[in-house]
Amino acid sequence: MSHILRRQGWVAGLFALLIILFIVTKLIQPGYGSGDFGSLARAVLPYAFAVAAQTIVVIAGGIDLSVAAMMALTSVTAASMMAGASEEYALFVVPFVLAMGLVLGALNGVLIVVTRVPDIVVTLAMLFVLQGAALLVLDAPGGAAAEWLKATIVGTVPIPGLPDTVEAWLPKALLLLVVCLCIIWIPLRRSRLGLSIYAIGSSELAAFRSGVPVARTRIAAYAFSGLFAAMGGLALTMSTGIGAPIPGPYLLASVAAVVLGGVALGGGKGGLLGPIVAVFVLRLVRTDLTLLAIDPNVTAIIEGVIMVAVVMFGAFITMRSRQS
Amino acid sequence: MSSAATVPQAPSFGRRLKRFMADRPIVPLVILLVALVVILQILRPGIVNERWIANTVKFAIPLAILAGCQTMTMLTGGIDLSVGTVATMSAFIMATQIVNQDPTVAFLLAMTPAVLIGLVNGIGVGVFRVHPLIMTLGTSLIGTGFLQVYQRTVIASGAKIPDFLNWLGTGVSFGFPNALLLFIPVAVFIVFTLNRTGFGRLLYAVGDNERATRLSGVRYWQVILALYILSSLLAGITGLLYIGLIKAPSLSLAEPLVLPSVAAAVIGGTSIFGGRGGYAGTIVGALILTVLTTLLTILQMPEGARRMLFGAIVLLVTAAYLRITEDR
């Protein structure tokens, strides 16, 4: 009971932090409005999917170093397939790329199970492989995205009966994020498989002895991670309109947000909500620093220091609670 | 796999071979290295000569020192991903400060960020118990930020590579790369530290069973702090050597060495979970990766395919190695 309280307390604390940050933002830039919130949601989108991909693997007691490379590969694949193709063709591209992410993620899992090499090494090797594959697909940023796909994250959600002022705070990107995550996460969390994922992360031996199919569960966790990463890749293509073969800073950001979100790196603890809120917090900090007209390079330093400080604080709290 | 174990009096040849390889993990690695060199010689007859060997060793040395940082941190169950940034920082600061400063001052300035980053890593991992992967990724991000800000302050003064570093990084005397003058003491130091000093024993102990180590009165945070500062210092020195080899100071100079350095330590048989491994295997691992890179360049693979194969081989070697050594 106290454990649940502590976990929810962590997420609630993050929400409070997010609200404080919004207030700070409003103080710095009194003109900060719905349009800026929309662009924040769009900026968060690829990060949020990367974090979701990392979260599920970390809960299962692993780590996925190939998240960013997977996003790069799926992004260039989608962009190069859609280049010069008709609008309708994209209807085929999206499921294809998602399936690709699922399969490549499952491959990660299969390799870990079959070779028995530590997951950190397998996903590191996969990082090389996926990066290389992305370079083979497109050796320079390029490709294109279908117009309707780009439009799905621009603008706001029209809901009849709501005044425009409220509607303006519901960007499509946010809706897309919530829908995509909920569609997968909520059924998964309530299913047997979801419970198994938590079980193998908590104690693999205990899970095995209780009859959890450890190998299958691990593969499934990595497959879902790949699926989320593919969504992230698509989100990248959707927001930029092209695909870039060089992975972005999503690996570090995903791990930091996972920790900040209250998911123990040992596995078996935490949920998806915390890390997602953490992503918003981290991105909003960046927005604030930009609004304060701070040199972007100094921004990178401050962002890093904040990330490290928060992680240190989190580790300190965990240590204290373990001792008492 | 264990069916042979039930007949203790007559172990099969395969099992004896396995046991031999498990006891001497360096043997399969050397065999692999030789095999790679032989393949290279078959593909390009005559390429393997004195000059080629000197060149390979020259490029393997910076990788091997960085992989030494990984070996030591991995022995405690950690990892140091900030080595690339630390090496880049010390190299860049050295190349820009040497223009106006005394070499000693420039050297001290170049090593300052290394000490600082090592200190922060050590405090984060040892005192606050942050996971080393995140801590070192974070400090490398911060370091890169500082380097970018610093770059703008020295943009007018330009950069040059000190002659001594040039000599050390690139020069060859009597068929031996001068870099060995730096590497051999470093390698002896690491091997000696790991095998013959109390500190080295503590690294193994911490990685093997941290709780037991702490209950035996070891101050965990002191060991970790010393370890990460040492690792950072070695990375800083590698940066100085590397700038003499590459001769083009940039903000991402040593960054491409980070993942191969992890791979070299892993191929060399150091367990990423701690407690098992050594530096001799890591050196062979670094040589294997360097020869492999040459091999792929000669095969004229496109950059993408080269990286893919590189990843696949890292995985295969590690898996094969695990198979051979796991029946202890």
Side-chain angles (χ1 to χ4, degrees):
Chain A
M1 183 64 208
S2 71
H3 164 70
I4 293 171
L5 205 71
R6 204 159 59 220
R7 199 184 80 208
Q8 298 306 339
W10 186 271
V11 176
L14 271 178
F15 261 117
L17 184 62
L18 186 62
I19 289 166
I20 292 170
L21 274 172
F22 270 119
I23 295 169
V24 170
T25 314
K26 195 77 187 164
L27 288 177
I28 298 171
Q29 181 89 346
Y32 190 87
S34 53
D36 301 292
F37 182 67
S39 59
L40 174 72
R42 270 200 302 284
V44 159
L45 205 55
Y47 283 95
F49 283 124
V51 168
Q54 193 68 263
T55 304
I56 193 161
V57 171
V58 170
I59 288 177
I63 192 154
D64 190 349
L65 301 185
S66 67
V67 166
M70 181 89 80
M71 284 169 72
L73 176 61
T74 46
S75 171
V76 290
T77 308
S80 64
M81 281 174 85
M82 284 190 279
S86 65
E87 291 282 296
E88 292 76 36
Y89 186 61
L91 282 175
F92 162 73
V93 171
V94 173
F96 175 80
V97 167
L98 291 181
M100 191 172 100
L102 196 72
V103 170
L104 286 175
L107 179 65
N108 256 339
V110 169
L111 285 175
I112 291 167
V113 168
V114 171
T115 62
R116 278 178 288 165
V117 173
D119 41 18
I120 200 164
V121 183
V122 171
T123 53
L124 181 70
M126 277 299 268
L127 183 155
F128 284 120
V129 172
L130 296 175
Q131 240 179 29
L135 278 172
L136 283 184
V137 174
L138 271 185
D139 53 8
E147 290 303 323
W148 67 266
L149 209 51
K150 281 192 263 186
T152 45
I153 58 164
V154 178
T156 56
V157 190
I159 299 172
L162 272 180
D164 280 354
T165 43
V166 178
E167 227 172 62
W169 289 92
L170 280 174
K172 277 188 196 166
L174 185 64
L175 184 79
L176 182 76
L177 176 66
V178 171
V179 168
C180 285
L181 293 181
C182 288
I183 265 182
I184 296 172
W185 181 254
I186 292 176
L188 180 67
R189 184 78 176 83
R190 286 165 189 273
S191 70
R192 205 186 168 82
L193 177 63
L195 191 63
S196 304
I197 287 177
Y198 274 87
I200 65 168
S202 179
S203 167
E204 194 180 323
L205 188 63
F208 176 74
R209 285 182 178 158
S210 333
V212 174
V214 173
R216 233 186 301 154
T217 308
R218 175 152 298 140
I219 294 170
Y222 277 94
F224 276 110
S225 165
L227 180 64
F228 279 130
M231 286 179 178
L234 279 175
L236 273 176
T237 305
M238 277 150 82
S239 56
T240 57
I242 57 166
I246 304 299
Y250 301 104
L251 173 60
L252 174 64
S254 72
V255 176
V258 161
V259 175
L260 185 54
V263 177
L265 273 177
K269 291 197 189 88
L272 189 55
L273 185 61
I276 297 294
V277 178
V279 172
F280 273 91
V281 168
L282 290 174
R283 286 294 98 196
L284 198 53
V285 168
R286 169 135 220 164
T287 311
D288 284 356
L289 293 174
T290 315
L291 288 177
L292 286 170
I294 291 173
D295 176 341
N297 292 324
V298 181
T299 307
I301 300 176
I302 298 175
E303 210 182 7
V305 171
I306 290 174
M307 228 137 73
V308 167
V310 167
V311 171
M312 275 167 126
F313 178 72
F316 186 65
I317 296 280
T318 325
M319 196 166 65
R320 287 291 288 273
S321 66
R322 204 181 298 146
Q323 276 168 358
S324 60
Chain B
M1 201 172 282
S2 59
S3 59
T6 53
V7 194
Q9 64 269 43
S12 69
F13 174 72
R15 189 161 173 80
R16 266 199 321 217
L17 186 71
K18 260 188 185 171
R19 174 139 335 142
F20 172 72
M21 286 190 161
D23 290 342
R24 301 245 178 291
I26 201 145
V27 172
L29 288 174
V30 173
I31 292 174
L32 180 71
L33 179 61
V34 172
L36 281 173
V37 174
V38 169
I39 293 173
L40 200 62
Q41 174 72 12
I42 292 170
L43 286 174
R44 224 12 102 76
I47 188 180
V48 180
N49 55 26
E50 245 177 58
R51 240 190 72 217
W52 178 82
I53 292 174
N55 229 344
T56 304
V57 169
K58 227 156 51 183
F59 275 92
I61 284 173
L63 182 60
I65 305 182
L66 289 189
C69 304
Q70 306 297 357
T71 307
M72 286 191 292
T73 44
M74 273 186 199
L75 283 177
T76 65
I79 194 167
D80 191 347
L81 294 182
S82 65
V83 288
T85 305
V86 170
T88 309
M89 283 178 98
S90 67
F92 195 82
I93 292 174
M94 187 71 181
T96 46
Q97 288 298 326
I98 198 79
V99 180
N100 301 322
Q101 301 275 10
D102 187 61
T104 323
V105 179
F107 174 74
L108 289 178
L109 282 175
M111 294 314 278
T112 314
V115 175
L116 286 178
I117 288 185
L119 190 69
V120 176
N121 281 340
I123 291 174
V125 177
V127 181
F128 287 91
R129 300 311 189 83
V130 181
H131 193 284
L133 192 88
I134 299 153
M135 194 63 213
T136 51
L137 259 181
T139 47
S140 78
L141 190 81
I142 299 170
T144 308
F146 272 112
L147 198 55
Q148 273 163 347
V149 174
Y150 168 78
Q151 184 203 20
R152 256 183 288 143
T153 66
V154 293
I155 219 157
S157 61
K160 76 168 192 165
I161 315 296
D163 293 335
F164 173 68
L165 292 182
N166 209 338
W167 176 83
L168 190 66
T170 330
V172 176
S173 323
F174 311 112
F176 291 100
N178 296 336
L180 282 174
L181 285 180
L182 176 70
F183 180 66
I184 291 174
V186 166
V188 168
F189 169 74
I190 295 178
V191 171
F192 181 79
T193 306
L194 288 182
N195 295 339
R196 288 280 176 272
T197 63
F199 177 67
R201 291 287 105 192
L202 283 181
L203 295 185
Y204 281 93
V206 164
D208 201 32
N209 191 336
E210 190 201 310
R211 198 175 142 75
T213 318
R214 262 187 301 150
L215 289 179
S216 346
V218 173
R219 288 183 202 269
Y220 174 80
W221 68 272
Q222 288 178 350
V223 177
I224 295 296
L225 189 66
L227 168 68
Y228 279 89
I229 292 178
L230 179 64
S231 168
S232 252
L233 275 175
L234 282 177
I237 291 170
T238 313
L240 300 186
L241 179 68
Y242 201 54
I243 189 79
L245 182 61
I246 299 293
K247 299 202 199 72
S250 78
L251 293 187
S252 56
L253 179 78
E255 224 51 66
L257 288 181
V258 178
L259 296 180
S261 76
V262 177
V266 171
I267 290 176
T270 300
S271 163
I272 208 155
F273 295 126
R276 201 160 52 78
Y279 191 49
T282 304
I283 299 174
V284 184
L287 278 170
I288 288 176
L289 286 184
T290 313
V291 174
L292 195 61
T293 312
T294 323
L295 191 63
L296 297 183
T297 315
I298 282 181
L299 290 174
Q300 291 188 328
M301 286 206 168
E303 173 65 17
R306 208 188 300 168
R307 283 195 204 183
M308 283 180 79
L309 193 68
F310 194 73
I313 289 174
V314 166
L315 185 59
L316 271 178
V317 169
T318 319
Y321 186 83
L322 266 184
R323 281 287 134 77
I324 289 173
T325 52
E326 73 188 352
D327 301 319
R328 271 169 187 265

